[in-house]
Amino acid sequence: MERGGTRSPHKRRRKVLIVTCVTLVLLIVIVALSVGLTLRQGSDKFQQTFIGRCEQFKGDRSDCQNIWGAFARAYVGRDPCQVPPEAYDPLIAAAPFIPACNRVMFWSKTKTLVHDFTKKRECFKTLEQSLLGSVLDGLTWCGKEGSNETYTTGCPGWTDCDNNPVRSFWNRASAAFADVACGDVTAMLNGSISSPFSSDSIFGKIEVKRLNATKVRSMNVVLVTQKNPVTNCMNASLKDLEKELQNGINYGCKEVTESRIQECSSNEEIPCGACW
Ligand code: DVN
């Protein structure tokens, strides 16, 4: 029996231990809940960005939810290095690319310049100006086995594994974009590098190979040069590009200075056809 309410040291130590354990468990629960909440918020934010961009492009809410569903099913709950391009087939079916005959613009190593130009002039359309390209340009996403969240951090980088969700999307979307190319198509390539065309690039290994001579009449390269050009239209890699085109697709190449392209971007008085 305890005298006067004093406790033995043993009991005091046990009480301190219990309080410490309970505090620790509570702390762990709070941290777990806040991490889960943060992940959930990140996942929701990504979905809101996707749907917001989709609605902005389409001008209405119409089927953006369906398109989101087809997109998410490609990678959610999957190992982020096991998402092949064909996982996005249902997405391409849900948001098909619309042919833009004589206005298709491919590019390689000229991302900033080509989009500065195409954003200001209606002459050409790039993949990144399509519904899916504009919704996902600049975003990173992946899933994880056993989770129904979309992660935007901790995802595999572009070169970490071939079948990562972002790279597979752009490979699949590039193929679909090239499949609907028609008429005279254009490619803006970089004349400041020794090989403006690389068969290892998305343009080289996917898009060029999918151009169909029954629909595409010509491939016209715009080789962007600086004051002191590094290369020109006689470059060996451009000869390779010409060889890789399907028989029946004519090839052309023009060296155009970056300043001329910037002039065309900002001066709508210059008709599209006279830019180069
Ligand atoms: O025709 C275009 C367009 O239609 C697109 O779908 O494919 C063609 C462009 O791809 P490309 O020929 O491979 O050209 P790039 O310039 O080598 O790469 C295009 C983009 O892929 C880069 O701008 C990177 O995108 P980002 O990060 O600038 O938004 C990405 N990319 C390519 N190689 C990469 C890489 N990102 C990171 N690491 C790499 N090694």
Side-chain angles (χ1 to χ4, degrees):
M1 183 177 163
E2 288 172 354
R3 286 195 313 270
T6 54
R7 292 173 187 274
S8 68
H10 171 67
K11 285 197 174 183
R12 257 204 316 277
R13 271 200 303 278
R14 196 172 67 172
K15 184 171 185 301
V16 167
L17 189 62
I18 290 167
V19 169
T20 307
C21 288
V22 169
T23 308
L24 268 177
V25 167
L26 280 175
L27 270 175
I28 290 167
V29 167
I30 289 165
V31 167
L33 283 174
S34 57
V35 166
L37 187 63
T38 307
L39 284 176
R40 180 81 230 167
Q41 285 168 342
S43 198
D44 291 346
K45 186 169 179 297
F46 182 88
Q47 181 176 351
Q48 286 158 19
T49 301
F50 184 104
I51 292 175
R53 288 186 179 186
C54 173
E55 289 170 358
Q56 189 179 5
F57 185 95
K58 290 176 73 72
D60 59 41
R61 298 181 71 86
S62 61
D63 53 357
C64 288
Q65 284 291 353
N66 296 335
I67 295 171
W68 162 258
F71 170 72
R73 279 191 292 276
Y75 66 90
V76 167
R78 296 178 70 160
D79 175 337
C81 278
Q82 300 293 330
V83 179
E86 50 272 18
Y88 291 100
D89 287 353
L91 172 65
I92 302 295
F97 285 86
I98 313 298
C101 291
N102 305 317
R103 296 172 67 209
V104 170
M105 174 73 86
F106 298 108
W107 55 273
S108 197
K109 308 290 188 292
T110 54
K111 183 172 188 178
T112 305
L113 180 66
V114 76
H115 289 116
D116 282 349
F117 179 68
T118 55
K119 272 178 192 157
K120 292 174 187 160
R121 300 296 303 271
E122 285 296 308
C123 317
F124 297 99
K125 290 291 177 197
T126 63
L127 166 59
E128 292 72 20
Q129 290 171 285
S130 67
L131 169 60
L132 292 179
S134 61
V135 166
L136 290 161
D137 194 22
L139 300 184
T140 293
W141 64 91
C142 64
K144 202 181 282 184
E145 283 180 303
S147 163
N148 61 5
E149 301 294 337
T150 292
Y151 297 85
T152 55
T153 56
C155 295
W158 187 272
T159 54
D160 289 347
C161 49
D162 286 348
N163 285 334
N164 67 69
V166 175
R167 184 168 176 173
S168 288
F169 166 76
W170 288 110
N171 285 342
R172 184 64 187 84
S174 299
F177 181 62
D179 285 346
V180 299
C182 45
D184 298 318
V185 306
T186 308
M188 191 175 281
L189 303 182
N190 191 331
S192 297
I193 55 180
S194 54
S195 295
F197 173 71
S198 163
S199 49
D200 291 336
S201 67
I202 296 176
F203 173 59
K205 71 173 177 258
I206 295 176
E207 293 171 324
V208 165
K209 291 185 167 49
R210 297 202 47 142
L211 296 180
N212 183 331
T214 62
K215 295 192 295 180
V216 175
R217 182 169 59 185
S218 70
M219 157 62 75
N220 300 289
V221 168
V222 172
L223 190 67
V224 182
T225 60
Q226 306 298 334
K227 285 193 181 58
N228 311 310
V230 170
T231 187
N232 59 38
C233 283
M234 299 311 289
N235 180 280
S237 73
L238 295 174
K239 297 298 175 198
D240 294 340
L241 166 53
E242 184 175 5
K243 286 180 205 141
E244 292 200 17
L245 289 168
Q246 233 182 56
N247 287 338
I249 298 178
N250 299 320
Y251 170 82
C253 178
K254 271 191 187 167
E255 293 139 20
V256 184
T257 61
E258 183 168 342
S259 54
R260 175 62 178 167
I261 292 169
Q262 286 164 343
E263 184 187 6
C264 279
S265 298
S266 49
N267 181 353
E268 298 210 0
E269 300 292 307
I270 305 172
C272 290
C275 271
W276 42 73

PDB file of all heavy atoms in Angstrom, residues 42-59:
ATOM      1  N   GLY A  42      -0.588  16.747 -53.561  1.00  0.00           N
ATOM      2  CA  GLY A  42       0.223  16.791 -54.785  1.00  0.00           C
ATOM      3  C   GLY A  42      -0.492  16.095 -55.916  1.00  0.00           C
ATOM      4  O   GLY A  42      -0.552  16.596 -57.044  1.00  0.00           O
ATOM      5  N   SER A  43      -1.106  14.968 -55.624  1.00  0.00           N
ATOM      6  CA  SER A  43      -1.832  14.179 -56.618  1.00  0.00           C
ATOM      7  C   SER A  43      -3.044  14.965 -57.125  1.00  0.00           C
ATOM      8  O   SER A  43      -3.282  15.094 -58.328  1.00  0.00           O
ATOM      9  CB  SER A  43      -2.295  12.872 -55.948  1.00  0.00           C
ATOM     10  OG  SER A  43      -2.632  11.921 -56.902  1.00  0.00           O
ATOM     11  N   ASP A  44      -3.769  15.549 -56.204  1.00  0.00           N
ATOM     12  CA  ASP A  44      -4.951  16.336 -56.584  1.00  0.00           C
ATOM     13  C   ASP A  44      -4.537  17.548 -57.407  1.00  0.00           C
ATOM     14  O   ASP A  44      -5.189  17.899 -58.394  1.00  0.00           O
ATOM     15  CB  ASP A  44      -5.707  16.808 -55.331  1.00  0.00           C
ATOM     16  CG  ASP A  44      -6.370  15.620 -54.604  1.00  0.00           C
ATOM     17  OD1 ASP A  44      -6.445  14.533 -55.232  1.00  0.00           O
ATOM     18  OD2 ASP A  44      -6.770  15.776 -53.439  1.00  0.00           O
ATOM     19  N   LYS A  45      -3.430  18.177 -57.015  1.00  0.00           N
ATOM     20  CA  LYS A  45      -2.981  19.394 -57.721  1.00  0.00           C
ATOM     21  C   LYS A  45      -2.624  19.049 -59.166  1.00  0.00           C
ATOM     22  O   LYS A  45      -2.990  19.759 -60.099  1.00  0.00           O
ATOM     23  CB  LYS A  45      -1.771  20.008 -56.995  1.00  0.00           C
ATOM     24  CG  LYS A  45      -1.319  21.347 -57.542  1.00  0.00           C
ATOM     25  CD  LYS A  45      -0.298  22.023 -56.592  1.00  0.00           C
ATOM     26  CE  LYS A  45       0.187  23.357 -57.137  1.00  0.00           C
ATOM     27  NZ  LYS A  45       0.912  23.214 -58.415  1.00  0.00           N
ATOM     28  N   PHE A  46      -1.971  17.904 -59.359  1.00  0.00           N
ATOM     29  CA  PHE A  46      -1.586  17.492 -60.708  1.00  0.00           C
ATOM     30  C   PHE A  46      -2.849  17.258 -61.541  1.00  0.00           C
ATOM     31  O   PHE A  46      -2.966  17.719 -62.675  1.00  0.00           O
ATOM     32  CB  PHE A  46      -0.735  16.213 -60.664  1.00  0.00           C
ATOM     33  CG  PHE A  46      -0.270  15.768 -62.023  1.00  0.00           C
ATOM     34  CD1 PHE A  46       0.909  16.247 -62.555  1.00  0.00           C
ATOM     35  CD2 PHE A  46      -1.022  14.881 -62.782  1.00  0.00           C
ATOM     36  CE1 PHE A  46       1.349  15.850 -63.816  1.00  0.00           C
ATOM     37  CE2 PHE A  46      -0.611  14.483 -64.052  1.00  0.00           C
ATOM     38  CZ  PHE A  46       0.590  14.962 -64.568  1.00  0.00           C
ATOM     39  N   GLN A  47      -3.819  16.568 -60.940  1.00  0.00           N
ATOM     40  CA  GLN A  47      -5.068  16.287 -61.686  1.00  0.00           C
ATOM     41  C   GLN A  47      -5.776  17.596 -62.028  1.00  0.00           C
ATOM     42  O   GLN A  47      -6.265  17.772 -63.149  1.00  0.00           O
ATOM     43  CB  GLN A  47      -5.998  15.403 -60.859  1.00  0.00           C
ATOM     44  CG  GLN A  47      -7.296  15.068 -61.583  1.00  0.00           C
ATOM     45  CD  GLN A  47      -8.196  14.109 -60.802  1.00  0.00           C
ATOM     46  OE1 GLN A  47      -7.768  13.569 -59.781  1.00  0.00           O
ATOM     47  NE2 GLN A  47      -9.395  13.880 -61.285  1.00  0.00           N
ATOM     48  N   GLN A  48      -5.770  18.533 -61.085  1.00  0.00           N
ATOM     49  CA  GLN A  48      -6.420  19.833 -61.351  1.00  0.00           C
ATOM     50  C   GLN A  48      -5.694  20.573 -62.476  1.00  0.00           C
ATOM     51  O   GLN A  48      -6.335  21.152 -63.358  1.00  0.00           O
ATOM     52  CB  GLN A  48      -6.425  20.703 -60.086  1.00  0.00           C
ATOM     53  CG  GLN A  48      -7.435  20.267 -59.024  1.00  0.00           C
ATOM     54  CD  GLN A  48      -7.055  20.774 -57.641  1.00  0.00           C
ATOM     55  OE1 GLN A  48      -6.265  21.713 -57.512  1.00  0.00           O
ATOM     56  NE2 GLN A  48      -7.581  20.133 -56.604  1.00  0.00           N
ATOM     57  N   THR A  49      -4.372  20.494 -62.489  1.00  0.00           N
ATOM     58  CA  THR A  49      -3.595  21.126 -63.570  1.00  0.00           C
ATOM     59  C   THR A  49      -3.951  20.486 -64.908  1.00  0.00           C
ATOM     60  O   THR A  49      -4.223  21.178 -65.892  1.00  0.00           O
ATOM     61  CB  THR A  49      -2.087  20.972 -63.301  1.00  0.00           C
ATOM     62  OG1 THR A  49      -1.760  21.579 -62.053  1.00  0.00           O
ATOM     63  CG2 THR A  49      -1.252  21.587 -64.422  1.00  0.00           C
ATOM     64  N   PHE A  50      -3.975  19.151 -64.932  1.00  0.00           N
ATOM     65  CA  PHE A  50      -4.298  18.407 -66.162  1.00  0.00           C
ATOM     66  C   PHE A  50      -5.671  18.827 -66.681  1.00  0.00           C
ATOM     67  O   PHE A  50      -5.812  19.256 -67.839  1.00  0.00           O
ATOM     68  CB  PHE A  50      -4.285  16.901 -65.861  1.00  0.00           C
ATOM     69  CG  PHE A  50      -4.518  16.016 -67.074  1.00  0.00           C
ATOM     70  CD1 PHE A  50      -3.450  15.348 -67.660  1.00  0.00           C
ATOM     71  CD2 PHE A  50      -5.775  15.852 -67.618  1.00  0.00           C
ATOM     72  CE1 PHE A  50      -3.641  14.525 -68.765  1.00  0.00           C
ATOM     73  CE2 PHE A  50      -5.996  15.043 -68.729  1.00  0.00           C
ATOM     74  CZ  PHE A  50      -4.918  14.368 -69.302  1.00  0.00           C
ATOM     75  N   ILE A  51      -6.667  18.787 -65.821  1.00  0.00           N
ATOM     76  CA  ILE A  51      -8.039  19.067 -66.264  1.00  0.00           C
ATOM     77  C   ILE A  51      -8.209  20.540 -66.608  1.00  0.00           C
ATOM     78  O   ILE A  51      -8.848  20.897 -67.600  1.00  0.00           O
ATOM     79  CB  ILE A  51      -9.048  18.575 -65.206  1.00  0.00           C
ATOM     80  CG1 ILE A  51      -9.010  17.034 -65.179  1.00  0.00           C
ATOM     81  CG2 ILE A  51     -10.457  19.079 -65.522  1.00  0.00           C
ATOM     82  CD1 ILE A  51      -9.846  16.381 -64.128  1.00  0.00           C
ATOM     83  N   GLY A  52      -7.538  21.403 -65.831  1.00  0.00           N
ATOM     84  CA  GLY A  52      -7.632  22.843 -66.121  1.00  0.00           C
ATOM     85  C   GLY A  52      -7.060  23.168 -67.492  1.00  0.00           C
ATOM     86  O   GLY A  52      -7.670  23.891 -68.295  1.00  0.00           O
ATOM     87  N   ARG A  53      -5.897  22.594 -67.810  1.00  0.00           N
ATOM     88  CA  ARG A  53      -5.275  22.853 -69.115  1.00  0.00           C
ATOM     89  C   ARG A  53      -6.149  22.254 -70.237  1.00  0.00           C
ATOM     90  O   ARG A  53      -6.295  22.816 -71.313  1.00  0.00           O
ATOM     91  CB  ARG A  53      -3.876  22.236 -69.173  1.00  0.00           C
ATOM     92  CG  ARG A  53      -2.818  22.947 -68.329  1.00  0.00           C
ATOM     93  CD  ARG A  53      -1.450  22.334 -68.602  1.00  0.00           C
ATOM     94  NE  ARG A  53      -0.376  22.972 -67.842  1.00  0.00           N
ATOM     95  CZ  ARG A  53       0.927  22.688 -68.005  1.00  0.00           C
ATOM     96  NH1 ARG A  53       1.301  21.775 -68.897  1.00  0.00           N
ATOM     97  NH2 ARG A  53       1.847  23.284 -67.293  1.00  0.00           N
ATOM     98  N   CYS A  54      -6.718  21.081 -69.959  1.00  0.00           N
ATOM     99  CA  CYS A  54      -7.563  20.415 -70.966  1.00  0.00           C
ATOM    100  C   CYS A  54      -8.785  21.281 -71.274  1.00  0.00           C
ATOM    101  O   CYS A  54      -9.105  21.536 -72.439  1.00  0.00           O
ATOM    102  CB  CYS A  54      -7.992  19.051 -70.431  1.00  0.00           C
ATOM    103  SG  CYS A  54      -9.190  18.167 -71.453  1.00  0.00           S
ATOM    104  N   GLU A  55      -9.436  21.766 -70.213  1.00  0.00           N
ATOM    105  CA  GLU A  55     -10.636  22.603 -70.408  1.00  0.00           C
ATOM    106  C   GLU A  55     -10.283  23.902 -71.106  1.00  0.00           C
ATOM    107  O   GLU A  55     -11.021  24.390 -71.967  1.00  0.00           O
ATOM    108  CB  GLU A  55     -11.290  22.880 -69.053  1.00  0.00           C
ATOM    109  CG  GLU A  55     -11.959  21.663 -68.447  1.00  0.00           C
ATOM    110  CD  GLU A  55     -12.385  21.868 -67.002  1.00  0.00           C
ATOM    111  OE1 GLU A  55     -12.122  22.958 -66.447  1.00  0.00           O
ATOM    112  OE2 GLU A  55     -12.970  20.944 -66.422  1.00  0.00           O
ATOM    113  N   GLN A  56      -9.107  24.432 -70.793  1.00  0.00           N
ATOM    114  CA  GLN A  56      -8.691  25.700 -71.437  1.00  0.00           C
ATOM    115  C   GLN A  56      -8.490  25.461 -72.940  1.00  0.00           C
ATOM    116  O   GLN A  56      -8.914  26.258 -73.768  1.00  0.00           O
ATOM    117  CB  GLN A  56      -7.371  26.176 -70.803  1.00  0.00           C
ATOM    118  CG  GLN A  56      -6.971  27.583 -71.232  1.00  0.00           C
ATOM    119  CD  GLN A  56      -5.665  28.021 -70.563  1.00  0.00           C
ATOM    120  OE1 GLN A  56      -5.008  27.254 -69.852  1.00  0.00           O
ATOM    121  NE2 GLN A  56      -5.289  29.245 -70.787  1.00  0.00           N
ATOM    122  N   PHE A  57      -7.912  24.295 -73.284  1.00  0.00           N
ATOM    123  CA  PHE A  57      -7.653  24.010 -74.698  1.00  0.00           C
ATOM    124  C   PHE A  57      -8.970  23.755 -75.436  1.00  0.00           C
ATOM    125  O   PHE A  57      -9.212  24.270 -76.522  1.00  0.00           O
ATOM    126  CB  PHE A  57      -6.745  22.775 -74.819  1.00  0.00           C
ATOM    127  CG  PHE A  57      -6.312  22.472 -76.237  1.00  0.00           C
ATOM    128  CD1 PHE A  57      -5.102  22.948 -76.720  1.00  0.00           C
ATOM    129  CD2 PHE A  57      -7.119  21.722 -77.090  1.00  0.00           C
ATOM    130  CE1 PHE A  57      -4.701  22.676 -78.021  1.00  0.00           C
ATOM    131  CE2 PHE A  57      -6.739  21.453 -78.406  1.00  0.00           C
ATOM    132  CZ  PHE A  57      -5.523  21.925 -78.863  1.00  0.00           C
ATOM    133  N   LYS A  58      -9.824  22.961 -74.790  1.00  0.00           N
ATOM    134  CA  LYS A  58     -11.060  22.530 -75.487  1.00  0.00           C
ATOM    135  C   LYS A  58     -12.146  23.591 -75.383  1.00  0.00           C
ATOM    136  O   LYS A  58     -13.133  23.571 -76.107  1.00  0.00           O
ATOM    137  CB  LYS A  58     -11.545  21.200 -74.910  1.00  0.00           C
ATOM    138  CG  LYS A  58     -10.673  20.010 -75.253  1.00  0.00           C
ATOM    139  CD  LYS A  58     -11.159  18.736 -74.581  1.00  0.00           C
ATOM    140  CE  LYS A  58     -12.413  18.207 -75.209  1.00  0.00           C
ATOM    141  NZ  LYS A  58     -12.183  17.616 -76.549  1.00  0.00           N
ATOM    142  N   GLY A  59     -11.985  24.493 -74.433  1.00  0.00           N
ATOM    143  CA  GLY A  59     -12.991  25.549 -74.279  1.00  0.00           C
ATOM    144  C   GLY A  59     -14.228  25.087 -73.541  1.00  0.00           C
ATOM    145  O   GLY A  59     -15.168  25.825 -73.323  1.00  0.00           O
TER     146      GLY A  59
END
